[in-house]
Amino acid sequence: RAALGPHGYTFAIDADGALVTPHPKGYAHLSQERLYQIDTRLRKPAGSWVDRVGEHRVISFVRLSDPAWTVFSVSLPEDFSAPLRHFVLFAWLAMLEILVVVTIFGRYFTRSITTPLAELTEAARRIADHRDLSQHVAVTTDDELSDLAQAFNRMVEELESSHTHLAEYTKKLERSTEELSALN
């Protein structure tokens, strides 16, 4: 006995192809099933295939030794298409949920990278355009971006220090030039 759904059925044949069990369609011989390439398939001791000639169905068989019968089971698509449709529907829903979650997390993580880079770029642009060395970038993470922000802030501090020293040295030079001019 096999669980084949409400439309599936099983039957057994003898070595001559005559049915030895009742057939739901009243057939008396295997040839009435009109199975595609049945002689080629029955060379094996067992097997299964999808028969697409005429009525679509899944055919499985196994040979018995005592009695010398071959037992067939026939499953029709309407018996397994509803569960398959449910599986496909649930698979699509799961993929959609995964896509939504990946999109949300992707946007979050993308912003965690692009926002600090945009702040760093804007600070560099203000320094280049306005020579405003008071620009510093906030260090909000503990990763490569924070290392870059810290290096940027150190560079700005060094530039500011160099600028201050250069301004002081320029003032000293101007005083020395004025003193030399006065002596001259």
Side-chain angles (χ1 to χ4, degrees), residues 36-120:
Y36 183 67
Q37 295 182 341
I38 188 67
D39 296 332
T40 311
R41 298 186 188 280
L42 288 178
R43 291 182 189 149
K44 299 176 184 175
S48 63
W49 71 93
V50 177
D51 190 21
R52 292 187 178 95
V53 176
E55 182 180 22
H56 284 83
R57 54 203 169 164
V58 177
I59 311 296
S60 298
F61 75 93
V62 64
R63 291 190 187 277
L64 304 176
S65 56
D66 187 27
W69 291 354
T70 303
V71 179
F72 285 86
S73 68
V74 179
S75 298
L76 301 176
E78 53 263 21
D79 291 336
F80 55 85
S81 64
L84 182 61
R85 277 194 306 273
H86 287 135
F87 172 77
V88 169
L89 176 66
F90 286 125
W92 277 107
L93 287 174
M95 286 191 298
L96 181 63
E97 288 174 359
I98 290 169
L99 180 65
V100 167
V101 169
V102 165
T103 301
I104 289 169
F105 281 115
R107 288 185 58 90
Y108 171 74
F109 287 117
T110 300
R111 285 188 180 177
S112 71
I113 293 171
T114 57
T115 301
L117 284 176
E119 290 172 359
L120 183 63

Side-chain angles (χ1 to χ4, degrees), residues 148-159:
L148 181 61
Q150 289 172 353
F152 180 83
N153 290 337
R154 278 194 310 271
M155 179 190 71
V156 169
E157 289 167 4
E158 289 295 320
L159 281 173

Side-chain angles (χ1 to χ4, degrees), residues 123-180:
R125 193 171 288 130
R126 276 185 258 145
I127 291 171
D129 293 345
H130 307 293
R131 304 212 187 282
D132 181 8
L133 295 175
S134 65
Q135 298 299 312
H136 283 75
V137 178
V139 179
T140 57
T141 61
D142 189 26
D143 57 6
E144 293 85 2
L145 287 173
S146 69
D147 294 343
L148 181 61
Q150 289 172 353
F152 180 83
N153 290 337
R154 278 194 310 271
M155 179 190 71
V156 169
E157 289 167 4
E158 289 295 320
L159 281 173
E160 192 172 27
S161 175
S162 295
H163 183 69
T164 302
H165 289 305
L166 185 61
E168 289 173 4
Y169 189 70
T170 302
K171 286 182 184 179
K172 284 182 185 178
L173 280 177
E174 286 174 356
R175 273 187 252 133
S176 295
T177 303
E178 287 175 4
E179 289 175 4
L180 283 174

